Amino acid sequence: MHGPVSAAWLLVALCAATGAYCLLRMRSGVEEQRRSAGGEALMGFGMAAMAVPAAVFTPPGWAWPLYAAVFGAAALRALWAARSGPHHLHHVVGTAAMVYMSLVMATSPASSAAHHHPHIGAGVPLVTGALLLYFTGYVLLSGARLVPATATAGGGTRAVRWGDRPELARACRLSMGIGMVAMLLTM
């Protein structure tokens, strides 16, 4: 078993599965959920693509600035959406983290050979540390929110569609937070 390569494949699988479920959530009857699911699907698939081991695929040099541009546009969209509520600020931080990691990879001398495993010390330690602190706190808080509350007696038995299950949406956000921590640790 190769530690970093197998961990990278696990991260690819986790992020791709999260992105796929977020696409399913885009079929929700709730407009706000549809909007946030699209951004989360982009994050999930983008993180999966960034985590593919370099032994399998090394992106061309122009790919990292393209990632930065795509996630920069997503960050602006999330910032615009944050006007309606502070819960969108997490999307701003997540997309900004993706821009940061893309720019680090674009400027890393080992980016063409190391893919998402840059030399130790790549990036700005203060920025990487702040993002690690944020996402670690987010993961701990999200994990605590997944702990089920005491069930109420006689609760409704209305069938809930897969795209409308709030606990699965929270689990997706949690898994993307875990993936972000893992990716930032490789910086």
Side-chain angles (χ1 to χ4, degrees):
M1 180 172 145
H2 300 88
V5 172
S6 61
W9 280 118
L10 287 172
L11 185 59
V12 168
L14 175 74
C15 294
T18 299
Y21 178 71
C22 290
L23 285 179
L24 181 63
R25 284 182 40 227
M26 289 180 70
R27 296 177 42 198
S28 171
V30 181
E31 182 180 347
E32 179 60 30
Q33 183 149 308
R34 281 192 311 265
R35 265 188 266 152
S36 68
E40 290 168 1
L42 175 67
M43 286 290 292
F45 290 128
M47 289 171 64
M50 288 179 86
V52 172
V56 174
F57 176 71
T58 301
W62 54 264
W64 298 115
L66 179 64
Y67 277 22
V70 167
F71 286 104
L76 290 175
R77 184 180 178 279
L79 189 59
W80 183 258
R83 296 173 309 122
S84 65
H87 61 279
H88 292 285
L89 291 175
H90 171 70
H91 295 284
V92 174
V93 175
T95 53
M98 292 294 284
V99 169
Y100 169 70
M101 288 188 292
S102 299
L103 292 175
V104 167
M105 291 309 302
T107 60
S108 173
S111 65
S112 62
H115 191 29
H116 100 99
H117 304 288
H119 288 156
I120 301 299
V124 180
L126 186 61
V127 174
T128 304
L131 288 170
L132 269 170
L133 185 63
Y134 172 81
F135 282 105
T136 301
Y138 181 80
V139 164
L140 293 173
L141 183 63
S142 295
R145 287 182 179 161
L146 277 178
V147 175
T150 306
T152 59
T157 59
R158 182 179 70 92
V160 179
R161 294 173 31 187
W162 280 101
D164 293 330
R165 304 208 37 182
E167 71 278 7
L168 290 178
R170 279 187 237 122
C172 281
R173 291 182 191 114
L174 173 64
S175 66
M176 283 194 288
I178 292 169
M180 192 64 77
V181 168
M183 291 175 80
L184 287 166
L185 284 173
T186 65
M187 303 279 315

